Amino acid sequence: MMKRTFWKYLFPALYGLLVYYTIRLLADSSSGTRFWHRPLLLNTIEVLCSIVMGYIFIWMLNRLFRFFDENRTAGLSYRSIVNELGYVCLLNLVVQNATLLPMAALTDNGLQWEDVVDINVIPLLYSLIYYGVRRSNIFLQAYVQNQLQLEKIANDQLQTELKFLRAQYHPHFLFNALNTIYFQMDEDVAAAKKTVERFSELLRYQLYDQQQTVSIRQEIQYLQNFIDLQRIRSSTKLQLSVHFDEQLGNEQVYPLLFLPLVENAFKYVGGNFHLRMQMTKQATEICFVVENALPEHAGIARKGGIGLDNLKRRLELLYPGAHTLTIQTTRDTFLAELKLILN
């Protein structure tokens, strides 16, 4: 309240006096005049006129600021600021020349060139300072709003990218699972029903929001169902070794980050058909290792394919600076190790 009272009622008078005494000081310094030696009535009239000028000018400036705010269609920009400054300068020149020039012309030795310069330059400098002070809050708010908008856009882009990566989730796995169930129904209906049950659990799990964490136990159960489905349709030559650390329980992780490694291993396993998976807890880290034998001339299997590329991008978005993914390939082995740092 006091701040508003100061700016509305006191500051215009102080502004008018500041402009007047600055001009008076410069004029008297160059002419050798001492204004306190002048008639008291003349000084009083000039001071009162300066105060009135201050109220008029500040009122007009505030109206101009309101006009700027009401007619701004876009965000704050360099162009809009330059435009506002142009109007402030024009208003300053009109008001000061209409009020102070006549005052200077009718007193002392009349209107001199230095009076014209002082009357046009000094108030202009003060008006620009006032403009900066009064508009700084608007500039700050505009900057904060722009930053928030940029962050919102960036966040929306990341969310969209995560949803896109999720939408790319392994359609060939769905086809293979349905194909497995189809052939099981001819051979073993009970097994086919069990497979359908596992398959439904997998699909239900995928409905989780991938920007929300789940317990590692839920993730392990999902991986176990996936492995069981893959085991059904895998070659009888497959030598599968799976170990999940019993210490793992309620640690929170983002879902479906380990799956691409598992699916990649089943997809490209060959050679001696050895496949090893191991998940352990090491202090504040979860370490997941997948190693599979490769067939000769494995090609893309040695690089991992698009599934691992998507995984890398999701890790960057969900675990920035809190993960490591190491991939090693030899002539007949592919090994991937993923470490997540727990919060």
Side-chain angles (χ1 to χ4, degrees), residues 22-216:
T22 303
I23 295 175
R24 188 82 262 172
L25 179 63
L26 291 176
D28 289 355
S29 298
S30 61
S31 64
T33 305
R34 300 292 182 268
F35 75 92
W36 54 86
H37 292 159
R38 302 164 72 225
L40 178 61
L41 179 61
L42 180 60
N43 284 336
T44 302
I45 292 174
E46 287 187 352
V47 168
L48 290 176
C49 289
S50 298
I51 292 175
V52 172
M53 180 276 299
Y55 278 101
I56 293 173
F57 182 66
I58 295 300
W59 178 82
M60 295 179 71
L61 267 184
N62 290 334
R63 292 284 295 181
L64 191 61
F65 295 160
R66 192 180 307 167
F67 172 79
F68 293 151
D69 294 336
E70 291 175 353
N71 291 274
R72 183 182 295 113
T73 56
L76 199 64
S77 64
Y78 290 111
R79 184 175 180 179
S80 65
I81 294 176
V82 171
N83 186 54
E84 290 183 7
L85 288 173
Y87 278 104
V88 170
C89 293
L90 179 61
L91 177 64
N92 182 84
L93 294 176
V94 171
V95 173
Q96 309 307 337
N97 281 278
T99 58
L100 296 182
L101 276 183
M103 189 187 306
L106 297 174
T107 58
D108 299 332
N109 56 350
L111 189 64
Q112 306 295 321
W113 279 111
E114 56 266 25
D115 296 331
V116 176
V117 173
D118 291 343
I119 289 172
N120 283 278
V121 172
I122 300 304
L124 178 61
L125 294 177
Y126 283 132
S127 66
L128 292 178
I129 293 172
Y130 177 73
Y131 171 84
V133 171
R134 294 295 288 172
R135 302 297 279 172
S136 60
N137 187 49
I138 299 296
F139 299 156
L140 181 60
Q141 288 181 0
Y143 173 77
V144 171
Q145 289 298 324
N146 287 337
Q147 290 298 112
L148 291 175
Q149 187 67 20
L150 289 175
E151 290 181 7
K152 183 178 183 301
I153 292 173
N155 184 62
D156 289 344
Q157 289 176 338
L158 293 180
Q159 298 299 326
T160 300
E161 185 174 358
L162 282 170
K163 290 178 181 178
F164 173 73
L165 293 175
R166 181 181 182 182
Q168 287 185 316
Y169 170 68
H170 322 296
H172 64 275
F173 161 69
L174 301 179
F175 172 78
N176 290 335
L178 292 173
N179 196 43
T180 300
I181 295 170
Y182 176 80
F183 285 107
Q184 274 189 316
M185 292 178 67
D186 290 334
E187 300 174 1
D188 189 341
V189 175
K193 289 182 178 179
K194 189 66 175 177
T195 302
V196 170
E197 182 181 339
R198 291 197 182 101
F199 186 56
S200 65
E201 289 294 327
L202 293 177
L203 294 179
R204 185 178 299 110
Y205 188 79
Q206 290 173 36
L207 296 177
Y208 278 109
D209 185 350
Q210 292 190 38
Q211 281 72 64
Q212 299 296 324
T213 58
V214 298
S215 71
I216 190 62

